[in-house]
Amino acid sequence: MQFNKDSLYANPLGEITTFKFDDAVVNVFPDMIQRSVPGYSAIISAIGLLAGRFSQSHSQCYDLGCSLGAATLAMRDQITAADCRIVAVDNSAAMVERFKRNLAVDEAKASIDIQCADIREISIERASVVVLNFTLQFVPVADRARLLEKIYRGMLPGGILILSEKLAFDNERQQALQVDMHHHFKKMQGYSELEISQKRSALENVLLAESFDVHRRRLMAAGFDSAEIWFQYFNFASMIALK
Ligand SMILES: C[S@@+](CC[C@H](N)C(=O)[O-])C[C@H]1O[C@@H](n2cnc3c(N)ncnc32)[C@H](O)[C@@H]1O
Ligand SMILES: O=C(O)C(=O)C[C@]1(C(=O)O)C=C[C@@H](O)C=C1
């Protein structure tokens, strides 16, 4: 896999265009997400561990918004259940093409089905594990409940949904502090003030963060039995919802 350094927002941009998962982002994505999402590696490892525990024989594990497949590969390494297939879906053709290319040179044999599709339009069937790792935040808010209801319906009893998201906070001081600390985190990772502010503008109206309360209520309304945060680092969190 290539690990190019993310410098997409390093120079002043006359016009800051809306953030897209295009070729330019694909080229730097592993570096970008690692340096932008506090705790990203820990979350990826834990997705593998959870998939090892929750994957059932004759079931499917879904990685929705898979990008280059980091969560897919972590799951594959830990799944021991028989006849268990991983379905990895992303609607960015650039991401899917690169993921397929990376997988082709990967030696391990595994049942991974990579699809270029909108996760709002696919069917979810016999799912023991479903991963939405920093994907739901890019789905229009109005479509989120329907998507989670579809996921719930497609899950087997005993199934798990792992939902990681950038969070927003109702309390103004908390919101200001957590956003500020995230920016400090990015600075510590080598991003300049200019890179941080230009990326922030590009993500405006594209990445729509909600509070844990809103997520929990939506998950419970979709039918889940429980929903809790298992990991949080500033305004980035990962939740577990159980069927
Ligand atoms: C932040 S990235 C996800 C990172 C990835 N899950 C990981 O763990 O490395 C968000 C991904 O969701 C995809 N995405 C956003 N909306 C989508 C949709 N409606 N259907 C399918 N994929 C979507 C984007 O193309 C992008 O690759
Ligand atoms: O909030 C930011 O600054 C981010 O860069 C976050 C984030 C994300 O949460 O998905 C946004 C886009 C990229 O995919 C990588 C990270």
Side-chain angles (χ1 to χ4, degrees), residues 6 19 21 25 29 32-38 40 67 95 133-135 137-138 164-166 182-183 186 191 195-196 199-200 203 207 235-236:
D6 169 25
F19 187 85
F21 292 96
V25 167
F29 191 70
M32 170 186 276
I33 194 150
Q34 177 67 37
R35 291 200 290 134
S36 301
V37 175
Y40 175 74
S67 296
M95 283 289 186
N133 203 37
F134 303 105
T135 301
Q137 59 192 16
F138 292 106
S164 311
E165 289 276 293
K166 186 179 204 174
H182 175 228
H183 292 167
K186 287 180 102 170
Y191 283 119
E195 286 178 292
I196 294 168
K199 172 90 176 284
R200 187 184 194 177
L203 284 170
L207 191 172
N235 49 345
F236 287 79

Side-chain angles (χ1 to χ4, degrees), residues 21 29 33 40 44 47 63-71 89-92 95 117-120 131-135 137-140:
F21 292 96
F29 191 70
I33 194 150
Y40 175 74
I44 291 292
I47 287 172
D63 183 3
L64 304 178
C66 60
S67 296
L68 301 178
V89 184
D90 204 292
N91 66 351
S92 157
M95 283 289 186
D118 191 313
I119 57 173
R120 291 167 295 180
V131 172
L132 277 165
N133 203 37
F134 303 105
T135 301
Q137 59 192 16
F138 292 106
V139 172

Side-chain angles (χ1 to χ4, degrees), residues 78-131:
Q78 298 294 330
I79 292 172
T80 52
D83 183 26
C84 185
R85 188 171 83 121
I86 304 178
V87 181
V89 184
D90 204 292
N91 66 351
S92 157
M95 283 289 186
V96 166
E97 192 257 321
R98 186 67 60 91
F99 181 17
K100 281 187 174 166
R101 207 193 319 156
N102 291 345
L103 199 66
V105 296
D106 191 302
E107 284 177 10
K109 287 218 167 39
S111 177
I112 298 178
D113 174 17
I114 307 175
Q115 302 177 6
C116 187
D118 191 313
I119 57 173
R120 291 167 295 180
E121 281 155 24
I122 61 161
S123 64
I124 307 277
E125 286 160 12
R126 283 182 296 112
S128 53
V129 178
V130 178
V131 172

